[in-house]
Amino acid sequence: MRALIIDDARVMRRIVATTLRQLGYETAEAAHGGEALDLLEAGERFDLACVDWNMPVMDGLQLVQAVRARREWRDLTLLMVTTESEQSQIVRALAAGAHEYLIKPFTPDALMGKLDMLGLLPARDLTKDPA
Protein backbone atom coordinates (compact mmCIF):
# COMPACT_ATOMS: atom_id res chain seq x y z
CA MET A 1 0.00 0.00 0.00
CA ARG A 2 1.08 3.58 -0.63
CA ALA A 3 0.65 6.61 1.61
CA LEU A 4 1.17 10.31 0.99
CA ILE A 5 2.11 12.37 4.05
CA ILE A 6 1.27 16.07 3.71
CA ASP A 7 2.62 18.33 6.46
CA ASP A 8 4.72 21.49 6.44
CA ALA A 9 6.80 20.17 9.38
CA ARG A 10 9.55 17.86 8.13
CA VAL A 11 9.86 16.21 11.55
CA MET A 12 6.17 15.36 11.60
CA ARG A 13 6.36 13.93 8.07
CA ARG A 14 9.26 11.76 9.22
CA ILE A 15 7.37 10.53 12.31
CA VAL A 16 4.28 9.57 10.31
CA ALA A 17 6.35 8.05 7.48
CA THR A 18 8.41 5.95 9.88
CA THR A 19 5.31 4.52 11.54
CA LEU A 20 3.67 3.77 8.18
CA ARG A 21 6.81 2.15 6.74
CA GLN A 22 7.04 -0.10 9.80
CA LEU A 23 3.53 -1.25 8.93
CA GLY A 24 4.56 -2.05 5.36
CA TYR A 25 3.53 1.13 3.56
CA GLU A 26 5.50 2.78 0.79
CA THR A 27 5.50 6.52 1.50
CA ALA A 28 5.83 9.82 -0.32
CA GLU A 29 5.85 13.29 1.21
CA ALA A 30 4.60 16.79 0.41
CA ALA A 31 5.18 20.01 2.38
CA HIS A 32 1.76 21.50 1.55
CA GLY A 33 -1.45 20.81 -0.31
CA GLY A 34 -0.14 22.27 -3.57
CA GLU A 35 2.73 19.78 -3.66
CA ALA A 36 0.31 16.96 -2.90
CA LEU A 37 -1.95 18.01 -5.77
CA ASP A 38 1.08 18.12 -8.08
CA LEU A 39 1.86 14.49 -7.22
CA LEU A 40 -1.74 13.41 -7.76
CA GLU A 41 -2.02 15.30 -11.04
CA ALA A 42 1.22 13.64 -12.22
CA GLY A 43 -0.58 10.29 -11.89
CA GLU A 44 0.81 9.12 -8.54
CA ARG A 45 -1.61 6.71 -6.85
CA PHE A 46 -2.04 6.38 -3.10
CA ASP A 47 -4.28 4.36 -0.81
CA LEU A 48 -4.00 6.84 2.05
CA ALA A 49 -3.21 10.52 2.51
CA CYS A 50 -2.30 11.81 5.98
CA VAL A 51 -3.15 15.51 5.85
CA ASP A 52 -2.14 18.32 8.22
CA TRP A 53 -4.57 21.23 8.46
CA ASN A 54 -2.34 24.30 8.93
CA MET A 55 0.10 24.60 6.02
CA PRO A 56 1.24 27.38 3.70
CA VAL A 57 0.22 27.61 0.02
CA MET A 58 -2.78 25.24 0.37
CA ASP A 59 -4.05 24.08 3.74
CA GLY A 60 -5.40 20.64 4.54
CA LEU A 61 -9.06 21.56 4.33
CA GLN A 62 -8.55 23.09 0.87
CA LEU A 63 -6.70 19.92 -0.18
CA VAL A 64 -9.52 17.68 1.05
CA GLN A 65 -12.02 19.78 -0.92
CA ALA A 66 -9.85 19.69 -4.06
CA VAL A 67 -9.42 15.90 -3.86
CA ARG A 68 -13.13 15.30 -3.32
CA ALA A 69 -13.94 17.50 -6.33
CA ARG A 70 -12.09 15.10 -8.67
CA ARG A 71 -13.85 11.85 -9.51
CA GLU A 72 -10.59 10.01 -10.23
CA TRP A 73 -9.31 10.66 -6.68
CA ARG A 74 -12.46 9.81 -4.76
CA ASP A 75 -11.11 6.42 -3.69
CA LEU A 76 -8.21 8.07 -1.83
CA THR A 77 -8.68 7.70 1.92
CA LEU A 78 -8.04 11.01 3.69
CA LEU A 79 -6.90 11.02 7.32
CA MET A 80 -6.53 14.43 8.92
CA VAL A 81 -3.51 14.44 11.27
CA THR A 82 -3.53 17.83 12.95
CA THR A 83 -3.42 19.91 16.12
CA GLU A 84 -6.87 21.34 15.31
CA SER A 85 -8.85 19.78 18.14
CA GLU A 86 -12.02 21.87 18.33
CA GLN A 87 -15.16 19.88 17.61
CA SER A 88 -16.26 22.40 14.96
CA GLN A 89 -13.00 21.91 13.04
CA ILE A 90 -13.35 18.13 13.16
CA VAL A 91 -16.91 18.43 11.83
CA ARG A 92 -15.74 20.76 9.02
CA ALA A 93 -13.01 18.33 7.92
CA LEU A 94 -15.32 15.32 7.96
CA ALA A 95 -18.05 17.25 6.15
CA ALA A 96 -15.52 18.27 3.48
CA GLY A 97 -14.70 14.62 2.83
CA ALA A 98 -12.00 13.49 5.27
CA HIS A 99 -12.61 9.91 6.39
CA GLU A 100 -11.12 10.15 9.85
CA TYR A 101 -9.34 12.57 12.17
CA LEU A 102 -6.26 12.10 14.39
CA ILE A 103 -5.21 14.85 16.80
CA LYS A 104 -1.51 15.63 17.37
CA PRO A 105 0.33 14.66 19.43
CA PHE A 106 -0.49 10.99 18.88
CA THR A 107 1.08 7.62 19.51
CA PRO A 108 1.91 5.02 16.87
CA ASP A 109 -0.85 2.88 18.41
CA ALA A 110 -3.38 5.68 17.88
CA LEU A 111 -2.38 5.91 14.20
CA MET A 112 -2.62 2.13 13.87
CA GLY A 113 -6.08 2.25 15.48
CA LYS A 114 -7.29 4.77 12.90
CA LEU A 115 -5.85 2.69 10.05
CA ASP A 116 -7.54 -0.42 11.45
CA MET A 117 -10.86 1.45 11.66
CA LEU A 118 -10.43 2.52 8.02
CA GLY A 119 -9.55 -1.02 6.90
CA LEU A 120 -6.04 0.10 5.95
CA LEU A 121 -3.97 -1.75 8.53
CA PRO A 122 -1.85 -4.20 6.51
CA ALA A 123 -2.27 -7.82 7.53
CA ARG A 124 0.71 -9.20 9.37
CA ASP A 125 2.26 -12.42 8.15
CA LEU A 126 1.75 -14.76 11.10
CA THR A 127 3.75 -17.56 9.47
CA LYS A 128 7.03 -15.70 10.02
CA ASP A 129 9.06 -16.29 13.13
CA PRO A 130 8.72 -13.16 15.33
CA ALA A 131 12.30 -13.55 16.63
Side-chain angles (χ1 to χ4, degrees), residues 1-6 12-29 46-51 77 79 81 102 106-108 110-116 118 120-122 124:
M1 285 198 272
R2 296 192 73 215
L4 176 58
I5 299 121
I6 307 122
M12 186 53 63
R13 289 194 311 265
R14 188 172 301 135
I15 290 168
V16 174
T18 298
T19 301
L20 291 174
R21 282 195 297 268
Q22 288 172 345
L23 294 171
Y25 276 85
E26 232 180 87
T27 62
E29 300 178 16
F46 299 97
D47 302 289
L48 170 69
C50 296
V51 185
T77 299
L79 171 63
V81 182
L102 181 61
F106 60 88
T107 63
L111 177 56
M112 288 180 2
K114 294 292 183 179
L115 294 175
D116 189 29
L118 292 166
L120 292 173
L121 191 61
R124 302 213 176 193

Side-chain angles (χ1 to χ4, degrees), residues 62-81:
Q62 291 169 323
L63 175 64
V64 168
Q65 292 166 335
V67 168
R68 289 297 166 243
R70 299 276 294 267
R71 182 177 304 269
E72 65 269 28
W73 299 336
R74 290 201 180 143
D75 61 341
L76 176 59
T77 299
L78 300 170
L79 171 63
M80 297 297 291
V81 182

